[in-house]
Amino acid sequence: GENPVVVCVDRPESTQLRCSNACRSRSVPFVSVETAGAYGRVFCDFGDDFRVVDPDGVTPRNTLLDRIEPLDSDNGDDDDEEDANEYEFT
């Protein structure tokens, strides 16, 4: 897509770190989301050059996902259960 981003949802910390490092090395934006009942956490890493500019304080617009695609599960590791749950979001 025009604006790729990797979204990691409710994954183990080791997976989040692996995805974050891979994204940062390729200058791809990364978002990690975790939920636990009524609580949640969102971590965004849009790179060193990302700056937030909010001149008017208006709530930002929402954007819908265009598509979700399964990743190739043969990545060479032995964690098939984790691989079965990895997707590429675009």
Side-chain angles (χ1 to χ4, degrees):
E2 292 179 26
N3 299 302
V5 62
V6 172
V7 180
C8 193
V9 180
D10 289 333
R11 305 306 308 151
E13 185 176 359
S14 61
T15 300
Q16 294 175 49
L17 291 171
R18 189 174 68 233
C19 289
S20 178
N21 290 335
C23 288
R24 184 164 271 275
S25 70
R26 293 169 179 82
S27 298
V28 173
F30 173 74
V31 178
S32 177
V33 180
E34 288 185 87
T35 58
Y39 299 97
R41 178 189 71 82
V42 176
F43 171 77
C44 300
D45 183 353
F46 298 126
D48 292 333
D49 295 328
F50 182 78
R51 300 288 178 259
V52 175
V53 178
D54 186 9
D56 58 10
V58 174
T59 303
R61 67 181 175 90
N62 293 325
T63 302
L64 299 176
L65 291 175
D66 183 75
R67 67 181 177 270
I68 300 173
E69 300 174 5
L71 292 176
D72 178 7
S73 63
D74 186 20
N75 62 7
D77 68 16
D78 295 327
D79 193 354
D80 293 334
E81 182 177 330
E82 186 173 310
D83 290 344
N85 294 311
E86 292 183 12
Y87 292 88
E88 178 179 13
F89 296 81
T90 57

